[in-house]
Amino acid sequence: MSYTGWILLTASLVGLSCGIIGVFLILRRLAMMADAISHTVLLGIVTAFLITRELSGSHMLIGAIIAGLMTSVLVQWFHSRGVQQDASIGVVFTTLFAIGVILIATQVGNAHLDVKHALMGEITFIPWNKINIPWIGEIPEATFILSVVLLVVIIVILSFYKEWKITSFDPALAASLGIPVVLMHYLFMSLVSVTTVAAFDAVGAIMVVAMLITPAASAYLWTDRMSVMIILSGTFGVLSSVAGYYIAVWLDTSISGSMAFATGIMFVFSFLFSPKHGILSRYLKPFTVPEI
């Protein structure tokens, strides 16, 4: 595959996996949790580096996942004790992210680990860091990891689809039916953390947040069926990745930033033209002629 092909494939995997996860974030009204986790994983990455003094390896993934889960646990703990959920997210997010930034500035030193790289990522380097997979050959490491994460996300979502649906719309009903709501919540937060961490190094926090929230928000404007919303959200994520790449080539600018910008364009289009919730649809509805 060509250099451009690997970039597009990797970005599309991010858009697809984040798009699927983002649907449940929107339905559970936890959109800002994506922003929180995508930033607080920085603390886990820095802590893992300080312990091992190595910038690559499974320890970085483990550290970031632990940080993501810790964010979820702390937010839920504060919320259960009377703090509003949005306030809980804001406090935990800013505090843990600030600790990560301080550790980078004071402890990391000359290592190739900085806040700009963490926020923006560098997807142009993805095709150069390859691993050899049996029966497949050499592929970029990030592409392989994101493929595995996407497979895990699809399997978990399909395996507990009814449970996800009930707990997303009516947690009280789910609890009365014997569904372990708290366990499902932390399982979902684990999926968010794993997906965020997998995409973090490739595309940075900004694109992760954009892909987790905006395609799902766009899909929400087009349909009221969750299954259709999942398909649309993943599709919008992929389309935004491809369109964003060519916008970046045209303007000679950041690829990740352009992909995040493309998700915004997709949302504005949906906001204006979606048949049920779009602004133009609502405006034109009074002028439609009723059927006889």
Side-chain angles (χ1 to χ4, degrees), residues 6 9-10 13 126 129-134 136-152 198:
W6 285 122
L9 176 58
T10 304
L13 289 171
I126 293 300
N129 186 18
K130 294 186 176 182
I131 57 175
N132 190 17
I133 306 298
I136 297 178
E138 284 193 343
I139 66 171
E141 183 178 8
T143 306
F144 173 73
I145 293 174
L146 287 166
S147 300
V148 173
V149 168
L150 175 60
L151 181 62
V152 170

Side-chain angles (χ1 to χ4, degrees), residues 15-164:
L16 189 55
S17 56
C18 289
I20 294 172
I21 290 293
V23 168
F24 297 93
L25 284 170
I26 293 294
L27 294 177
R28 291 165 177 257
R29 299 178 182 178
L30 290 172
M32 292 313 298
M33 184 64 80
D35 191 18
I37 291 178
S38 66
H39 283 76
T40 56
V41 293
L42 179 65
L43 175 60
I45 291 173
V46 176
T47 303
F49 170 77
L50 292 176
I51 294 173
T52 63
R53 290 293 168 178
E54 294 181 1
L55 280 172
S56 61
S58 59
H59 59 278
M60 303 292 279
L61 180 63
I62 293 171
I65 291 174
I66 291 174
L69 290 176
M70 183 172 66
T71 302
S72 177
V73 170
L74 287 174
V75 168
Q76 192 68 21
W77 187 79
F78 283 122
H79 180 55
S80 66
R81 279 153 181 77
V83 181
Q84 292 185 357
Q85 190 156 39
D86 54 350
S88 301
I89 293 174
V91 170
V92 174
F93 153 43
T94 52
T95 302
L96 296 185
F97 180 63
I99 294 173
V101 172
I102 292 171
L103 287 176
I104 285 181
T106 59
Q107 301 295 325
V108 171
N110 295 323
H112 181 60
L113 184 63
D114 57 76
V115 177
K116 181 180 178 181
H117 176 263
L119 291 176
M120 295 301 298
E122 194 47 79
I123 198 170
T124 53
F125 294 156
I126 293 300
W128 304 114
N129 186 18
K130 294 186 176 182
I131 57 175
N132 190 17
I133 306 298
W135 302 296
I136 297 178
E138 284 193 343
I139 66 171
E141 183 178 8
T143 306
F144 173 73
I145 293 174
L146 287 166
S147 300
V148 173
V149 168
L150 175 60
L151 181 62
V152 170
V153 167
I154 292 174
I155 290 173
V156 174
I157 294 299
L158 291 179
S159 299
F160 302 101
Y161 182 77
K162 290 182 179 178
E163 288 81 357
W164 296 126

Side-chain angles (χ1 to χ4, degrees), residues 220-284:
Y220 187 80
L221 296 172
W222 288 89
T223 180
D224 294 327
R225 294 184 59 190
M226 193 172 80
S227 57
V228 178
M229 185 178 173
I230 292 173
I231 295 172
L232 284 176
S233 181
T235 302
F236 289 159
V238 174
L239 291 176
S240 297
S241 300
V242 176
Y245 174 79
Y246 288 104
I247 290 173
V249 172
W250 176 44
L251 298 176
D252 190 22
T253 186
S254 166
I255 296 177
S256 295
S258 297
M259 290 177 179
F261 173 67
T263 64
I265 295 176
M266 194 76 66
F267 177 79
V268 171
F269 178 83
S270 301
F271 185 70
L272 292 175
F273 299 107
S274 63
K276 189 167 185 179
H277 301 289
I279 294 296
L280 293 182
S281 300
R282 292 180 181 179
Y283 177 76
L284 294 174

